[in-house]
Amino acid sequence: VEETIQSILAQTYTHWELLFQDDCSTDHTKRIVLAYAEKDTRIRYACNTQNSGAAITRNNALKRANGRWIAFLDSDDIWLPTKLEHQIPLLCNEDTAIVFSNYEKINMQGLRENRVIKAPSITNYNNLLKGCVIGNLTGMYDVRKVGKIYCEKVHHEDYLLWLTILKKGFVA
C-alpha cells in the first residue's frame, strides 16, 4: 500500500484526492494510510464496517468523491508519475467519457518484467462487448458527462462499469 500511495504522491498533476477505502484489512494498512493522511489533506481514509468485496468498497469511496474525474487504484497497483497529466486532457473531447492506457505487469517483488498489456487506441460499447480491454488501474471517467457510476456486486464489476458508461454513446 505504501508504494501505491507513493505513486499517487509522485503524480505531476497534483489536483487529486485519494479516498482510501479499506475493506477491513488485517495488516498495517490503516496505520500506514493514516500516517500519510496526517501529512497530506488530499488523502482521506475510511474503513468498511465489514469485509464487503471490491464493488461495495469502490462504491463507498465513490460516495465520498468530490472530483470531476474518477480513477481506481487497488493497493497492489502503482501509477507512473504522468498518468493523470496525460489522461485528463483526453477527457476534454466531448465524445470521450473514459480514458485508459497500456499497462505493465510487475512481479511479486514489484519488479518490472516487460510484460506490457497493449490497449487499443479507442473502443466503444459494441467493441467492449467482445472483451474488456480497459485495465481497471488505467481507466478514468468523467463524472460531469455520465454522473457517478456505481459498481454492481457481480464478478468483473469494473468491466460492467465501463460497459454501462459506454452504453450511453460515449467512446473510450
Side-chain angles (χ1 to χ4, degrees):
V1 74
E2 194 152 11
E3 285 181 88
T4 301
I5 295 169
Q6 286 292 335
S7 79
I8 296 170
L9 289 169
Q11 291 299 301
T12 53
Y13 179 89
T14 58
H15 187 68
W16 48 260
E17 63 179 348
L18 168 56
L19 305 176
F20 194 95
Q21 190 69 38
D22 191 342
D23 194 19
C24 300
S25 59
T26 58
D27 57 10
H28 300 291
T29 295
K30 181 178 181 178
R31 178 181 51 78
I32 293 167
V33 176
L34 288 176
Y36 279 98
E38 283 180 23
K39 299 176 198 162
D40 193 322
T41 59
R42 298 172 298 174
I43 301 172
R44 298 194 329 246
Y45 174 88
C47 188
N48 294 344
T49 56
Q50 63 185 27
N51 186 267
S52 304
I56 291 172
T57 301
R58 292 184 203 290
N59 290 344
N60 287 340
L62 279 167
K63 290 173 189 171
R64 301 184 298 130
N66 296 313
R68 175 178 177 181
W69 301 292
I70 302 291
F72 300 103
L73 186 63
D74 293 335
S75 62
D76 59 348
D77 293 326
I78 57 175
W79 285 342
L80 294 176
T82 58
K83 180 231 193 302
L84 296 175
E85 177 186 347
H86 287 165
Q87 287 189 317
I88 289 171
L90 298 173
L91 287 166
C92 292
N93 177 324
E94 65 185 43
D95 295 327
T96 304
I98 301 170
V99 293
F100 63 105
S101 67
N102 299 338
Y103 61 97
E104 183 176 5
K105 293 185 175 189
I106 56 178
N107 67 22
M108 293 299 288
Q109 292 74 39
L111 301 174
R112 299 170 78 169
E113 295 182 326
N114 200 29
R115 296 182 298 154
V116 177
I117 307 303
K118 298 279 186 183
S121 60
I122 190 167
T123 195
N124 59 29
Y125 178 76
N126 288 332
N127 288 336
L128 203 64
L129 283 173
K130 299 172 188 170
C132 190
V133 297
I134 301 173
N136 199 49
L137 78 150
T138 75
M140 179 186 307
Y141 74 89
D142 190 333
V143 173
R144 284 192 195 160
K145 293 176 184 168
V146 300
K148 282 188 186 177
I149 306 296
Y150 291 92
C151 296
E152 298 289 330
K153 194 171 180 178
V154 297
H155 190 59
H156 297 297
E157 76 287 336
D158 55 323
Y159 183 23
L160 181 57
L161 178 131
W162 306 128
L163 283 168
T164 301
I165 294 170
L166 294 183
K167 193 171 186 177
K168 297 174 182 255
F170 293 97
V171 297

